[in-house]
Amino acid sequence: MTNTRITHIGSHVDKEVAISGWLYNSRSSGSIAFLEIRDGSGFLQAIVNKADVSEDVWNDTQKLTQESSLRLTGIVSKHPKKENVFELQVKDLQVYQFASEYPIAHKEHGPEFLMDHRHLWLRSKRQWAILRIRDVVESAVNEYLHQEGFVRTDSPVFTPNACEGTTTLFAVPYFDLGEAYLSQSGQLYIEAAISSVGRCYDFGPVFRAEKSKTKRHLTEFWMMDAEAAFVEHEENMQIQEGLIKHIVKRCLEQCQEEFAILERNIEPLQKVVELPFTKLTYDEAIKKLHEEGSDIKYGEDLGNDDEGLLTQHSPVPVFIHKWPKSIKPFYVKRDPENEDLALNVDLIGIEGSGEIIGGAQREDNIQYLEERIKEEGLNEADYTWYLDLRRYGSVPHSGFGLGLERMVRWMSGVEHIRECIPFPRTVNRLKP
Ligand code: AMO
């Protein structure tokens, strides 16, 4: 007899197999019990017929509680009506544990209750689907970047200096060396690594002490920072577009079951793979926003509503590029055609997903960088190493940062980002 996982069950029709898992749901009618089993790879209906099993097995079946862990042996059969759906006709049952009364019943629970029980909530079908979409997104990112010649060179989490401004830093005491900060982005470090490997990326947790309590903000989230030597502004956008298309394509290919569980309409995603992305300069975006009735002033950052207005009729994500340099970080290169503008870019996703990527061509002129570091009130001594990169073989280069949970939120079509990371950290939540 073969041990198998639910995902492979279709290749064992009419054969006897054993499956280990948990009881997700069950119902009984007279002498027949229907057990919905999950084993991590999928969900399966197992049918226990009183006449086909021993008295002990039948008694155990009656005692099973939600989330009891078990091993079932039986014959695989095709679902009588549904294509590609299989069932297990149970012959034997071994119970690893009869679970205590499970706190998350199959009914509506409030979000705070579910968040308090996140360690258990992860087992629900919906959370299972999101975790798996997250995994597909991560794999697709790694796959695309390797395909494009990027080498993974991960960045430290403890850092001596700020990357994205000083207002959102988490400080931690660091032995006799004073304070360290949890990284806001690994960008500055991968800028160093491009001079070794040409194109590189990191992928890991970053931290922002941002008090934003929106559906898109976490205090700890995962970011993929990519950086490439000799790549300038336009090509930077091309790489980003290629990456997003690749992720969406992989999700469409590999997440059909997950999308069905989440009732996610995939039509908009198909268009994203096929059509070229839209590009608007910041100036054009402001003009468009005014036409749409927004009261945003030139020089302001785009808010949630503005991003919504700019993408509402677009079938594809929209690049907003060349922002006023005054609202962008010190490392962004000035636009040679207009010194007041920066060669940066934000990619705004469709379907209300908001900003997915932030990126820029980097300033390669050392004098200008020194001025900008002073202007931003940063401690120059902390950036000496970074300025070395502009001393020894400075090259034009660009990069970008993709927020993993923003991408997962968009792909899954869920409303709140807290469901897009296994254990979310937000302003109000540190547990479990
Ligand atoms: P930026 O600050 O735009 O750029 O961040 C890059 C991307 O990270 C995601 N993101 C967040 N996700 C969840 N919660 C948050 N609080 C949060 N903040 C940002 C977004 C965003 O587009 N170093 C630059 C990138 C670069 O130029 O290479 C940076 O960090 O998806």
Side-chain angles (χ1 to χ4, degrees):
M1 192 231 316
T2 323
N3 287 324
T4 192
R5 299 193 81 207
I6 292 170
T7 187
H8 299 131
I9 198 126
S11 47
H12 298 281
V13 176
D14 295 334
K15 307 230 173 65
E16 186 168 309
V17 297
I19 297 218
S20 296
W22 296 265
L23 182 71
Y24 189 64
N25 209 349
S26 65
R27 65 193 162 85
S28 244
S29 70
S31 58
I32 188 159
F34 298 92
L35 311 179
E36 192 180 1
I37 307 297
R38 52 174 201 86
D39 73 343
S41 77
F43 295 79
L44 172 77
Q45 172 152 280
I47 300 158
V48 191
N49 225 311
K50 192 175 176 185
D52 296 342
V53 294
S54 68
E55 206 180 324
D56 284 351
V57 165
W58 181 252
N59 289 341
D60 280 351
T61 305
Q62 300 306 297
K63 284 193 287 178
L64 282 176
T65 46
Q66 188 184 344
E67 289 304 314
S68 289
S69 43
L70 43 78
R71 176 179 151 94
L72 291 171
T73 309
I75 308 286
V76 180
S77 61
K78 285 189 179 164
H79 190 283
K81 292 193 189 123
K82 295 182 196 154
E83 190 75 11
N84 277 325
V85 176
F86 304 92
E87 296 177 327
L88 190 74
Q89 309 295 330
V90 176
K91 289 170 82 177
D92 197 12
L93 158 75
Q94 179 198 337
V95 179
Y96 292 113
Q97 193 208 21
F98 287 102
S100 303
E101 193 181 342
Y102 193 61
I104 308 180
H106 290 289
K107 61 167 194 169
E108 284 284 312
H109 291 282
E112 283 310 307
F113 176 85
L114 290 170
M115 290 306 301
D116 286 342
H117 293 85
R118 182 67 176 164
H119 51 297
L120 302 178
W121 188 27
L122 288 179
R123 304 178 191 195
S124 76
K125 242 181 212 179
R126 177 183 164 92
Q127 299 308 315
W128 175 85
I130 300 169
L131 283 178
R132 288 169 57 102
I133 290 174
R134 180 179 167 107
D135 178 57
V136 170
V137 172
E138 286 194 56
S139 298
V141 169
N142 287 314
E143 188 181 49
Y144 178 81
L145 290 170
H146 284 142
Q147 204 173 288
E148 296 298 310
F150 286 75
V151 174
R152 185 162 173 170
T153 56
D154 286 323
S155 301
V157 167
F158 285 130
T159 59
N161 37 14
C163 180
E164 297 300 313
T166 49
T167 53
T168 64
L169 285 171
F170 275 111
V172 276
Y174 199 82
F175 305 111
D176 298 334
L177 299 181
E179 268 184 341
Y181 304 109
L182 300 183
S183 176
Q184 300 165 305
S185 157
Q187 179 202 320
L188 305 185
Y189 293 96
I190 54 169
E191 281 192 62
I194 54 162
S195 303
S196 171
V197 295
R199 291 176 163 212
C200 59
Y201 72 105
D202 63 25
F203 205 167
V206 293
F207 306 84
R208 306 262 171 112
E210 241 172 312
K211 292 231 166 108
S212 317
K213 291 182 192 159
T214 76
K215 291 174 180 162
R216 298 170 185 186
H217 285 88
L218 294 163
T219 50
E220 173 178 342
F221 61 98
W222 275 55
M223 176 133 78
M224 186 289 296
D225 296 283
E227 197 71 27
F230 312 109
V231 163
E232 303 204 35
H233 181 59
E234 281 295 325
E235 194 180 352
N236 194 23
M237 289 192 279
Q238 272 169 32
I239 297 171
Q240 293 168 40
E241 180 166 339
L243 172 66
I244 298 295
K245 284 192 150 87
H246 187 77
I247 300 172
V248 175
K249 189 163 154 268
R250 283 287 181 258
C251 287
L252 287 170
E253 287 163 0
Q254 296 174 10
C255 300
Q256 286 167 13
E257 187 180 353
E258 292 80 357
F259 286 149
I261 289 172
L262 297 167
E263 297 176 0
R264 205 244 189 267
N265 171 17
I266 56 170
E267 249 170 66
L269 297 183
Q270 271 144 355
K271 296 216 180 72
V272 171
V273 178
E274 289 155 17
L275 303 172
F277 290 4
T278 306
K279 283 179 197 154
L280 290 177
T281 60
Y282 176 87
D283 288 24
E284 287 165 344
I286 295 293
K287 206 165 144 215
K288 195 163 175 207
L289 284 171
H290 287 160
E291 283 162 13
E292 299 278 356
S294 165
D295 57 5
I296 188 169
K297 296 190 185 59
Y298 188 93
E300 283 178 357
D301 204 350
L302 301 187
N304 197 354
D305 294 346
D306 302 313
E307 290 175 354
L309 284 174
L310 290 172
T311 48
Q312 62 183 348
H313 302 303
S314 176
V316 287
V318 178
F319 285 113
I320 316 282
H321 66 134
K322 299 197 177 180
W323 294 53
K325 76 167 197 282
S326 53
I327 53 167
K328 288 293 152 189
F330 72 94
Y331 54 71
V332 180
K333 188 173 172 65
R334 287 165 300 173
D335 181 359
E337 286 165 17
N338 181 344
E339 300 255 312
D340 293 329
L341 300 180
L343 289 181
N344 75 303
V345 58
D346 281 359
L347 181 67
I348 317 297
I350 54 168
E351 303 181 280
S353 53
E355 187 197 320
I356 305 289
I357 292 182
Q361 182 164 347
R362 318 304 185 188
E363 184 53 69
D364 38 31
N365 176 309
I366 188 162
Q367 281 82 29
Y368 183 69
L369 259 183
E370 282 167 340
E371 276 167 35
R372 291 288 287 130
I373 287 173
K374 269 199 203 108
E375 267 170 34
E376 292 210 13
L378 300 167
N379 181 5
E380 288 165 66
D382 290 338
Y383 294 86
T384 322
W385 71 270
Y386 182 71
L387 293 171
D388 271 354
L389 309 177
R390 310 303 194 259
R391 278 190 192 100
Y392 306 112
S394 186
V395 296
H397 65 286
S398 307
F400 60 92
L402 167 94
L404 174 61
E405 291 76 15
R406 296 265 178 103
M407 190 67 201
V408 174
R409 176 173 173 263
W410 174 27
M411 289 302 97
S412 315
V414 304
E415 205 178 321
H416 206 297
I417 198 165
R418 66 186 165 210
E419 288 186 65
C420 301
I421 183 163
F423 292 95
R425 302 292 176 238
T426 60
V427 179
N428 299 323
R429 180 154 301 271
L430 187 58
K431 288 185 185 163

